Amino acid sequence: MKINERALEKKRQNKARIASHILHRKQISKPELAIELGLSMPTVLQNVKELQEAGIVEEVGEYESTGGRKAKALSVVKNVRYAAGVDITANHISVVIIDLKGDMVHSRRFRRRFENTAEYYEDLAAELEQFLDESRVDKKKILGVGISLPGIVDRENSRLIRSHILQVSDINLEVISRLIPYPVHFENDANSAAVAELQGTDRNAVYLSLSNTVGGSIYLDNDIYGGDHFRSAEFGHMIIYPEGKLCYCGKRGCADPYCSAGVLSSFAGEDGGLAEFFRLVEKKERDAMAVWDTYLEDLSIVITNLRMCFDCDIVLGGYVGGYLKPYMSQLGRKVMVNNKFDNDTLYLRNCRYEKEASAVGIAMTFMDEYFRTII
């Protein structure tokens, strides 16, 4: 690479780093950018100026002064670009659109049982297009559509290798992308949710998804660790009770039949679901309290195993994760019974997204891609 080409590439990388850092910090001053990114002030000033001229970054106020001139606060301009996210489950489809800051602009969830048929995929594309019309965003500003699915996803080759939940295997996902007039990304649902929860935090973490199945993701060095065969973080299939309950995978004693959302929602009946179960817990209904206490005991074993394996933060997400905040002290006490290496459970974190984390996360992948390619 020639000297001038190397210089241009270095400048592009610096601009992308600065834009991405402003995005993840929400608001930040120029001096903070220089310190946190290890860049000179002239480099920061020039790149921020160019980002402002391009309409990507704006000044949104002033920091409180500790003496001297107040520093201007910088933020990305949220309506410069948008991205859509779709989360496919066995019985529902969730659709969201987010702005450049990652904030949800519009969302919708509709009931549709998954079928590996042309009709299902055509209806999905039609529903998506109608949703985008309803959102009233400028479609020319849409970077792409991300689609998350429960199962093992080969992103590079756009294939769903296997999904127990959807009861399919070896699906060429181009049957979906060819129907959508935007760039399309595919990813596993738990990995997508982890991106929404953890992107830009600069901390290694494990995301534990407690939905209709138990899964998760390993967030290492600001990226998802996928494993050699796209099967990392199958936490639901760790055995916690040898010869225990039968799991849908065929083994016995996996975490899934003990810690999935269905353990709780089934108690409340088909019409009640999780909301009804937790209403009963709040009312201190005896049988519901007993089920909940047992659930937390089982969950504490899973958490302890993950802490022993990874020694990092653990984020509790999924359908159950959205209800856990009031019960963290109770859960923490149970975890401490099993964990003799930590003095507290401050490494346990509640999810930020109680709903639609997977759809938001897969949409976010377009934002990072956009900043990486800023010239």
Side-chain angles (χ1 to χ4, degrees):
M1 185 181 290
K2 296 178 181 179
I3 294 176
N4 61 337
E5 291 177 341
R6 285 199 295 269
L8 286 172
E9 176 60 18
K10 181 67 174 177
K11 182 177 180 180
R12 188 199 66 77
Q13 290 176 358
N14 283 337
K15 187 183 291 186
R17 286 181 66 205
I18 289 169
S20 183
H21 203 67
I22 295 171
L23 168 70
H24 294 310
R25 287 279 266 104
K26 304 298 185 184
Q27 291 188 19
I28 190 171
S29 68
K30 295 169 189 174
E32 286 175 324
L33 278 170
I35 293 169
E36 293 178 16
L37 294 177
L39 297 172
S40 68
M41 274 303 293
T43 296
V44 169
L45 292 172
Q46 180 60 35
N47 281 285
V48 167
K49 179 183 177 183
E50 292 178 11
L51 288 167
Q52 287 177 301
E53 290 173 349
I56 296 170
V57 168
E58 63 181 346
E59 292 181 346
V60 292
E62 296 178 332
Y63 275 43
E64 287 299 320
S65 175
T66 56
R69 179 185 294 181
K70 292 183 178 181
K72 298 288 187 180
L74 300 170
S75 180
V76 298
V77 179
K78 63 182 182 180
N79 60 358
V80 172
R81 292 289 186 274
Y82 299 91
V86 179
D87 181 38
I88 295 175
T89 71
N91 295 302
H92 295 88
I93 298 173
S94 295
V95 194
V96 305
I97 191 160
I98 63 172
D99 60 29
L100 196 57
K101 289 186 176 182
D103 295 330
M104 210 183 312
V105 174
H106 191 49
S107 67
R108 187 154 66 89
R109 192 179 195 219
F110 54 94
R111 190 169 185 84
R112 179 66 194 268
R113 186 168 183 80
F114 176 81
E115 298 173 358
N116 183 28
T117 63
E119 180 183 9
Y120 176 90
Y121 300 130
E122 288 166 2
D123 286 350
L124 169 62
E127 290 281 0
L128 172 64
E129 196 63 29
Q130 181 179 339
F131 168 81
L132 294 177
D133 288 337
E134 292 171 357
S135 72
R136 297 183 179 179
V137 303
D138 183 350
K139 291 184 180 180
K140 293 178 182 178
K141 294 183 177 181
I142 296 176
L143 295 169
V145 175
I147 300 176
S148 70
L149 305 104
I152 300 170
V153 177
D154 179 351
R155 291 178 296 175
E156 291 187 5
N157 296 302
S158 296
R159 301 195 79 85
L160 178 60
I161 297 174
R162 184 171 67 254
S163 173
H164 287 290
I165 301 303
L166 302 182
Q167 298 182 348
V168 292
S169 60
D170 196 25
I171 301 296
N172 184 346
L173 295 173
E174 289 183 8
V175 298
I176 305 175
S177 59
R178 65 180 177 82
L179 298 170
I180 297 173
Y182 305 94
V184 178
H185 290 173
F186 295 99
E187 181 56 282
N188 163 268
D189 56 352
N191 286 345
S192 298
V195 169
E197 294 289 345
L198 302 170
Q199 194 173 54
T201 60
D202 291 322
R203 290 177 65 90
N204 295 333
V206 166
Y207 177 77
L208 179 60
S209 176
L210 303 167
S211 290
N212 290 335
T213 59
V214 176
S217 187
I218 302 163
Y219 198 73
L220 184 64
D221 295 331
N222 281 312
D223 200 4
I224 300 295
Y225 172 71
D228 292 341
H229 303 96
F230 318 109
R231 293 197 296 262
S232 72
E234 288 285 357
F235 302 138
H237 301 295
M238 298 189 303
I239 294 175
I240 59 173
Y241 293 113
E243 303 305 318
K245 295 179 183 178
L246 181 66
C247 178
Y248 68 82
C249 75
K251 297 190 300 181
R252 287 191 173 274
C254 291
D256 194 280
Y258 294 91
C259 296
S260 71
V263 174
L264 307 178
S265 59
S266 62
F267 176 86
E270 186 174 339
D271 296 330
L274 280 179
E276 175 61 15
F277 175 81
F278 281 101
R279 189 186 71 81
L280 294 172
V281 171
E282 288 173 8
K283 289 178 62 178
K284 300 191 182 303
E285 197 276 333
R286 186 182 62 181
D287 291 340
M289 291 285 286
V291 170
W292 182 229
D293 189 70
T294 300
Y295 181 94
L296 291 179
E297 290 278 0
D298 297 336
L299 179 58
S300 72
I301 296 173
V302 175
I303 289 170
T304 302
N305 288 345
L306 294 179
R307 180 66 174 176
M308 294 303 99
C309 287
F310 298 102
D311 187 31
C312 63
D313 288 356
I314 299 171
V315 179
L316 305 174
Y319 299 157
V320 178
Y323 289 94
L324 272 173
K325 193 171 183 178
Y327 308 100
M328 291 300 287
S329 294
Q330 183 182 357
L331 174 60
R333 289 193 294 271
K334 292 181 182 297
V335 170
M336 290 303 295
V337 172
N338 297 315
N339 182 351
K340 304 302 181 183
F341 292 85
D342 290 305
N343 296 321
D344 55 55
T345 57
L346 294 177
Y347 57 86
L348 282 180
R349 292 164 48 193
N350 295 110
C351 58
R352 292 183 299 162
Y353 291 89
E354 295 182 2
K355 296 180 179 179
E356 318 307 0
S358 295
V360 170
I362 188 62
M364 280 182 176
T365 61
F366 286 96
M367 302 309 183
D368 263 12
E369 186 177 272
Y370 173 68
F371 284 124
R372 286 197 303 269
T373 57
I374 287 175
I375 298 175

